[in-house]
Amino acid sequence: ARKRNGKNGTRLFDDEIVDIARKRLEIEQCIEQALREDWFEAYLQPIVELGTGRIAGFEALMRLRHPEKGVLVPDEIVGVAEENGAIGKVGDVIFEKAIRGLSAVSQVSGMGDCYLAVNFSPLQFDAALPSRLAAILLEHGVTASRIVVEITEAVLMLDNPAVRHVLDALGELGCRIALDDFGTGYSSLSYLNRFPVDIVKVDQSFVRSIGTQEAEITRKSRTLIEGITMISHQMGCIVVAEGIETEHQLQMLTEIGLDFGQGYLFSEPLPLSSLMARLPHLAARQPSHERTAMAGQ
Ligand code: C2E
Ligand code: MG
Ligand code: MG
Ligand code: MG
C-alpha cells in the first residue's frame, strides 16, 4: 500500500524512512513492555566437549517472547536496544535469567560444574558492569569462575582504557573472556596478544563451509581452522567451534583438535523448561543418528 513513486523516487524514499521509523518505534516499545512484563528469556544451548561428548557448558541467547508477535531474536532487538540505551537494562535481565538457568541445570546429575557463557554488547561495558554482575552472582550463590563473558572484536576495537579496565575487573572477579565470531573481523590475531582472552570461538562461517560445498572450499576452511586452532592453543586459549550441524563437521573439528563445540547437531538453543526435560537424554552421550534426529525436532 505504498504511494506511487514520484518523478525522482523521493516519495518512495520518504515512505521507506517512515516504515523504518515505525518498525523501530514498535521494537522500542516492545522492549520497554518486555522489561515491564518480564517477556525476556535466556535460551540455553549446550556446549559439548568434542573428545568425549560430555556437556561442558551452555551459551545463553537472548529471546523476547511476545504474546502476539511470537519469539523475537537478538538480530531484531540488540541493535535497537543499543541505540536507545536499553541494552544495559536488557543485558542485566538476560544475565540474571541465564544465572537462574545455570542454577537449575546444575541440579541435574553430572552438570554440577558446567559453565555459562553470556554475550555482551560493547555498550554494556560500563564501569559499573563488574559490580552489577558480582551482585547477581552473589545473590544466586554462583562462583564467577563458572562464567564466560563472550565479546566480539567490536568491544576490543574500541581499545579504550575504560573497556580495558572493565575486562580486567571481570578477570579479577574470576570470569573468563571468550572472543566470539573469531576470524572474520579485522586483525583478529593481535587481540589474542593484547587482551586477556581465555577462549576463542571459531566463527560459524568456517564451520559451515566444511562439507557443504566443493572439496576445495572444505580444504581451505580446514586449513584456516587448523591455523586458528594451533595459534589459539599456543596462546593458551581453549578453542570452541560454533554452528556444528553435521557429523562430517563434527568429525573434522574433533580431528583438528578443537576443544568444544556447539550447534544444531547437538541441540538448538532451548528455553529452560525444554532444556530441563531434554537434558537427561543430552547428557548421556547419544548415538549420532539419535542426536541428529533430536536436533531436527
Ligand atoms: P553468537 O553469540 O555468535 O551466537 C550464535 C548464534 O548462532 C545464535 O544465534 C545461535 O542461535 C545460532 N546457532 C547455534 N547453533 C547453530 C547451528 O548449528 N546453525 C546455525 N545456523 N546457527 C546456530 P542467535 O541466538 O540469533 O544470536 C545471534 C547473535 O546475537 C549472537 O551471536 C550474539 O552475538 C547476539 N546475542 C545473543 N544473545 C545476546 C545477549 O544476551 N546480549 C547481547 N548483547 N547479544 C546477544
Ligand atoms: Mg556468543
Ligand atoms: Mg559467534
Ligand atoms: Mg554472532
Side-chain angles (χ1 to χ4, degrees):
R2 180 161 282 157
K3 291 205 181 93
R4 275 178 65 84
N5 204 349
K7 227 191 290 179
N8 51 13
T10 325
R11 189 72 245 163
L12 179 64
F13 187 63
D14 285 352
D15 283 358
E16 273 173 0
I17 287 182
V18 169
D19 280 352
I20 290 166
R22 188 178 295 129
K23 175 78 188 157
R24 203 200 124 110
L25 185 64
E26 200 183 298
I27 301 257
E28 282 192 56
Q29 287 167 344
C30 194
I31 291 169
E32 289 310 315
Q33 197 176 3
L35 286 169
R36 285 197 307 273
E37 313 271 345
D38 197 23
W39 290 341
F40 277 105
E41 288 181 40
Y43 277 31
L44 296 175
Q45 183 177 41
I47 300 169
V48 173
E49 187 174 53
L50 294 187
T52 61
R54 171 184 75 95
I55 295 178
F58 298 86
E59 177 173 5
L61 294 154
M62 175 194 299
R63 295 292 184 270
L64 191 167
R65 188 184 301 278
H66 192 282
E68 286 115 41
K69 298 186 219 286
V71 177
L72 307 193
V73 295
D75 283 349
E76 302 170 89
I77 305 163
V78 173
V80 174
E82 284 178 338
E83 278 171 37
N84 82 347
I87 190 68
K89 199 76 170 282
V90 172
D92 287 359
V93 168
I94 294 296
F95 188 77
E96 159 130 58
K97 301 262 174 191
I99 294 295
R100 282 177 194 278
L102 179 67
S103 299
V105 296
S106 298
Q107 304 302 310
V108 176
S109 148
M111 294 284 103
D113 61 356
C114 60
Y115 76 85
L116 174 73
V118 184
N119 295 281
F120 286 85
S121 142
L123 295 170
Q124 285 172 262
F125 266 60
D126 65 284
L129 180 71
S131 62
R132 289 207 310 275
L133 299 192
I136 295 172
L137 290 172
L138 197 62
E139 188 187 331
H140 293 275
V142 172
T143 59
S145 61
R146 296 181 68 191
I147 304 305
V148 170
V149 171
E150 292 201 0
I151 54 173
T152 58
E153 281 184 352
V155 174
L156 304 184
M157 265 163 61
L158 297 176
D159 201 4
N160 71 12
V163 166
R164 180 74 209 209
H165 183 78
V166 172
L167 273 181
D168 288 342
L170 290 170
E172 274 159 35
L173 210 61
C175 300
R176 284 176 294 164
I177 308 293
L179 201 42
D180 208 345
D181 304 343
F182 190 80
T184 52
Y186 176 69
S187 77
S188 303
L189 286 175
S190 71
Y191 292 121
L192 296 182
N193 206 11
R194 285 159 43 217
F195 294 95
V197 177
D198 305 288
I199 297 171
V200 168
K201 299 191 80 171
V202 175
D203 191 70
Q204 299 198 12
S205 58
F206 296 111
V207 176
R208 198 176 305 129
S209 38
I210 296 175
T212 49
Q213 295 165 54
E214 45 193 290
E216 178 66 2
I217 293 174
T218 296
R219 196 189 61 75
K220 285 181 173 167
S221 299
R222 180 182 178 132
T223 304
L224 283 171
I225 297 170
E226 280 173 345
I228 291 170
T229 303
M230 192 185 70
I231 290 167
S232 302
H233 277 159
Q234 283 179 358
M235 302 297 285
C237 296
I238 288 171
V239 187
V240 182
E242 293 190 297
I244 305 177
E245 294 185 357
T246 70
E247 283 292 337
H248 180 206
Q249 291 164 346
L250 171 60
Q251 195 194 326
M252 192 176 282
L253 294 162
T254 307
E255 233 173 73
I256 293 172
L258 281 86
D259 303 287
F260 299 135
Q262 56 190 110
Y264 298 160
L265 178 64
F266 305 111
S267 170
E268 306 158 50
L270 295 169
L272 184 59
S273 55
S274 315
L275 179 66
M276 291 302 283
R278 210 182 278 182
L279 202 49
H281 309 282
L282 291 170
R285 192 168 153 77
Q286 299 289 308
S288 54
H289 63 275
E290 277 185 53
R291 266 194 281 129
T292 313
M294 280 196 299
Q297 268 174 26

